[in-house]
Amino acid sequence: MEPKFMISEVFGTSWKYTKSQIWVLVGLYIGYFILSMIISLFGMPAQGSMVGQIIVYLISAAIYSAFMLGYIKNLFQTMDGEEPQFSAYGQQSRKIVTYFIASLIVGIVVTIGAFLLIVPGIYLGIRLQFFAAYIVEEDCGIIESLQKSWNLTQGQVMPLFLLLLAMIGIAIIGCILFVVGVFVAIPLIFMMQCYTFRKLNTISTEEEVQQLQ
């Protein structure tokens, strides 16, 4: 099956969107990074016990989930030509449990797959990568978001794998650029993933409409 997107087009368009709100998107990510560092610092004394470690992990996981949901919404707002709204984090917060459990399932499945000669782990990670976008965009539940991601990526594993390699390359370049570049690279990588999701989802919807006609 032919690829439904070109990596160069995904990169070019995603960079255009990222650049349009670069300071907001970078600022939000830096804000999250600082917050996570503060939590880790203050949580160190509590990590001396198993209960303390669990509490610190749950707090960190909740904040990470809330950030990711809000940030993905901000990326979609940027793609729609809107200003990223901080209120998105509050609006998406009700989906934290859904996102956390879905990401936990993906993490377990990918880890098990990675033990099976690594390749199955990469394959599963690629097939399930858009679950968060479905939770944010379509308010999908845990299983529904995973199923839709699986269906959306059908026949697009190799193009998505090459896109993943491109993203890794961008992250490496960002790290090389005095580390500061990573704070620009990460928003761009997230934007590329969101843009790819939108593109594949639009094509998939159009194909379904054509089949019904």
Side-chain angles (χ1 to χ4, degrees), residues 62-81:
I63 292 175
Y64 174 77
S65 298
F67 171 75
M68 285 305 303
L69 289 167
Y71 200 68
I72 291 172
K73 181 63 176 180
N74 285 161
L75 294 170
F76 285 133
Q77 288 173 334
T78 301
M79 290 170 60
D80 292 332

Side-chain angles (χ1 to χ4, degrees), residues 181-211:
V182 76
F183 290 110
V184 175
I186 291 178
L188 173 58
I189 290 169
F190 281 136
M191 184 67 79
M192 290 172 69
Q193 188 175 40
C194 288
Y195 177 77
T196 303
F197 162 76
R198 276 267 183 98
K199 190 171 185 66
L200 290 177
N201 202 27
T202 299
I203 293 174
S204 177
T205 301
E206 291 174 349
E207 289 176 346
E208 289 177 4
V209 171
Q210 290 175 359
Q211 290 175 0

Side-chain angles (χ1 to χ4, degrees), residues 169-180:
I170 292 170
I172 292 174
I173 293 172
C175 290
I176 292 174
L177 296 176
F178 307 104
V179 182
V180 178

Side-chain angles (χ1 to χ4, degrees), residues 64-120:
Y64 174 77
S65 298
F67 171 75
M68 285 305 303
L69 289 167
Y71 200 68
I72 291 172
K73 181 63 176 180
N74 285 161
L75 294 170
F76 285 133
Q77 288 173 334
T78 301
M79 290 170 60
D80 292 332
E82 304 172 5
E83 290 281 338
Q85 300 296 317
F86 192 71
S87 59
Y89 296 85
Q91 295 168 356
Q92 297 294 318
S93 61
R94 62 184 177 82
K95 305 174 184 177
I96 287 177
V97 175
T98 300
Y99 175 85
F100 175 75
I101 296 176
S103 60
L104 192 63
I105 292 173
V106 172
I108 292 172
V109 169
V110 170
T111 300
I112 293 174
F115 278 118
L116 301 174
L117 302 178
I118 300 178
V119 174

Side-chain angles (χ1 to χ4, degrees), residues 34-173:
I34 293 172
L35 179 60
S36 63
M37 290 297 99
I38 291 174
I39 292 173
S40 298
L41 184 63
F42 281 94
M44 287 180 64
Q47 295 185 32
S49 65
M50 180 63 71
V51 175
Q53 290 178 2
I54 293 174
I55 292 174
V56 172
Y57 170 75
L58 290 176
I59 292 174
S60 298
I63 292 175
Y64 174 77
S65 298
F67 171 75
M68 285 305 303
L69 289 167
Y71 200 68
I72 291 172
K73 181 63 176 180
N74 285 161
L75 294 170
F76 285 133
Q77 288 173 334
T78 301
M79 290 170 60
D80 292 332
E82 304 172 5
E83 290 281 338
Q85 300 296 317
F86 192 71
S87 59
Y89 296 85
Q91 295 168 356
Q92 297 294 318
S93 61
R94 62 184 177 82
K95 305 174 184 177
I96 287 177
V97 175
T98 300
Y99 175 85
F100 175 75
I101 296 176
S103 60
L104 192 63
I105 292 173
V106 172
I108 292 172
V109 169
V110 170
T111 300
I112 293 174
F115 278 118
L116 301 174
L117 302 178
I118 300 178
V119 174
I122 297 174
Y123 175 81
L124 292 169
I126 289 173
R127 296 299 304 274
L128 299 173
Q129 66 176 304
F130 296 121
F131 77 92
Y134 273 115
I135 292 174
V136 173
E137 281 273 85
E138 301 184 11
D139 201 18
C140 293
I142 298 167
I143 302 302
E144 185 183 12
S145 65
L146 296 174
Q147 287 178 333
K148 285 197 169 189
S149 179
W150 186 268
N151 294 336
L152 187 68
T153 54
Q154 179 69 39
Q156 297 299 308
V157 175
M158 184 52 67
L160 287 170
F161 174 68
L162 295 176
L163 180 63
L164 174 63
L165 293 180
M167 291 176 175
I168 292 174
I170 292 170
I172 292 174
I173 293 172

